[in-house]
Amino acid sequence: MFDAEQNTFNYDFGIRLEAARMALRLSPNEMCELLDCARSTYTQYIRGNTMITPYRLSPLYKCGVSSDYLFFGDKRNLSNTVAMSIEGAEVVAKSEREKPENRGRRT
């Protein structure tokens, strides 16, 4: 049961991380620069295959994206700018993630 819960948590985190990128209007490469990670690593984060080290999220916090949102979906601490565009970005991120070529290990 824990594995299923962990997979769901990682999947949801990946959707929210990608939605945050879109809401901030960053390209994938710009997001990688912000998080100081390789593009392949970022892909693993958004696919839910690897969990990000929390200290790497500090730059996102400075941009108005709270860790409460990324980890748990709590939107109360998002900056106004991010909050206004996050809903639509989540829909797009989830749609992109559900494409067969983007599913990763999630079943």
Side-chain angles (χ1 to χ4, degrees):
M1 180 142 169
F2 176 76
D3 287 340
E5 289 176 11
Q6 185 69 47
N7 286 343
T8 299
F9 182 88
N10 290 356
Y11 172 84
D12 291 343
F13 175 87
I15 296 292
R16 291 188 292 263
L17 183 62
E18 184 69 347
R21 179 191 68 77
M22 293 175 188
L24 294 171
R25 300 181 189 272
L26 297 174
S27 71
N29 288 335
E30 290 169 328
M31 186 68 147
C32 292
E33 287 178 28
L34 187 68
L35 298 177
D36 191 27
C37 68
R39 179 71 186 267
S40 60
T41 303
Y42 180 71
T43 299
Q44 294 302 307
Y45 295 155
I46 63 173
R47 285 187 177 176
N49 294 337
T50 304
M51 184 49 71
I52 194 168
T53 305
Y55 79 87
R56 290 199 183 272
L57 298 174
S58 179
L60 286 177
Y61 178 78
K62 293 174 184 173
C63 293
V65 179
S66 71
S67 59
D68 290 341
Y69 168 69
L70 292 170
F71 287 116
F72 307 110
D74 185 343
K75 298 175 182 159
R76 291 177 290 181
N77 293 320
L78 294 173
S79 73
N80 289 337
T81 305
V82 173
M84 290 186 337
S85 57
I86 204 75
E87 296 290 331
E90 282 181 350
V91 170
V92 173
K94 188 164 186 167
S95 173
E96 286 294 313
R97 179 66 171 83
E98 290 300 316
K99 290 181 179 178
E101 64 270 22
N102 294 330
R103 286 193 180 195
R105 67 184 175 118
R106 172 114 165 107
T107 56

